Amino acid sequence: QVQLVESGGGSVQTGESLRVSCAGPDYDFGGNCMAWFRQAPGQERVAVANIYLESGDATYYRDSVRGRFTISQGNRKNTVYLQMNNLKPEDTGMYYCAAGSVHIARCYFGAEHYPYWGQGTQVTVSS
């Protein structure tokens, strides 16, 4: 079973930074895309950013986070990070890591394309 484990969430003030991490399996599970999704209370889960693991290139950022968030790949196999700078209250939510595979060099942003999910890590930004 493919396990994804998130860490690094917390509570911060507006304008501060956080980095959340996602550790996937240390073997080749067939996935080549990893993504971060966010779900705020009472709202749907939305894509935040994703990364194509074979190149290490980010292939999607949500408009509201572009320029503030950076997704990157770690040295350890199947590890990704989301560096979040200049955080805003609207960034608050449970952040989930997801993994999947594509046959093109660009990851999908829809949650339906990701069969593997972590348990989530909470990020709370107060004003």
Side-chain angles (χ1 to χ4, degrees), residues 30-69:
N32 55 12
C33 280
M34 293 184 75
W36 286 98
F37 288 77
R38 177 180 70 219
Q39 187 165 24
Q43 297 186 25
E44 64 178 5
R45 190 172 298 189
V46 297
V48 175
N50 61 44
I51 187 166
Y52 181 59
L53 298 179
E54 294 184 21
S55 65
D57 292 332
T59 62
Y60 173 78
Y61 284 106
R62 190 169 191 80
D63 285 347
S64 62
V65 309
R66 190 173 294 116
R68 299 187 296 121
F69 290 14

Side-chain angles (χ1 to χ4, degrees), residues 33-116:
C33 280
M34 293 184 75
W36 286 98
F37 288 77
R38 177 180 70 219
Q39 187 165 24
Q43 297 186 25
E44 64 178 5
R45 190 172 298 189
V46 297
V48 175
N50 61 44
I51 187 166
Y52 181 59
L53 298 179
E54 294 184 21
S55 65
D57 292 332
T59 62
Y60 173 78
Y61 284 106
R62 190 169 191 80
D63 285 347
S64 62
V65 309
R66 190 173 294 116
R68 299 187 296 121
F69 290 14
T70 303
I71 189 170
S72 61
Q73 189 172 7
N75 291 328
R76 179 188 174 278
K77 195 176 187 66
N78 299 321
T79 298
V80 293
Y81 304 102
L82 185 68
Q83 176 67 43
M84 303 181 288
N85 296 331
N86 191 22
L87 281 159
K88 304 177 180 181
E90 52 264 42
D91 297 320
T92 294
M94 187 72 79
Y95 282 70
Y96 295 93
C97 177
S101 61
V102 293
H103 299 292
I104 55 175
R106 186 175 185 86
C107 301
Y108 299 112
F109 66 81
E112 66 273 18
H113 297 289
Y114 294 87
Y116 308 114

Side-chain angles (χ1 to χ4, degrees), residues 4-9 20-23 35-36 94-98 117-121:
L4 303 176
V5 180
E6 303 97 335
S7 61
V20 290
S21 304
C22 174
W36 286 98
M94 187 72 79
Y95 282 70
Y96 295 93
C97 177
W117 290 83
Q119 295 299 306
T121 185

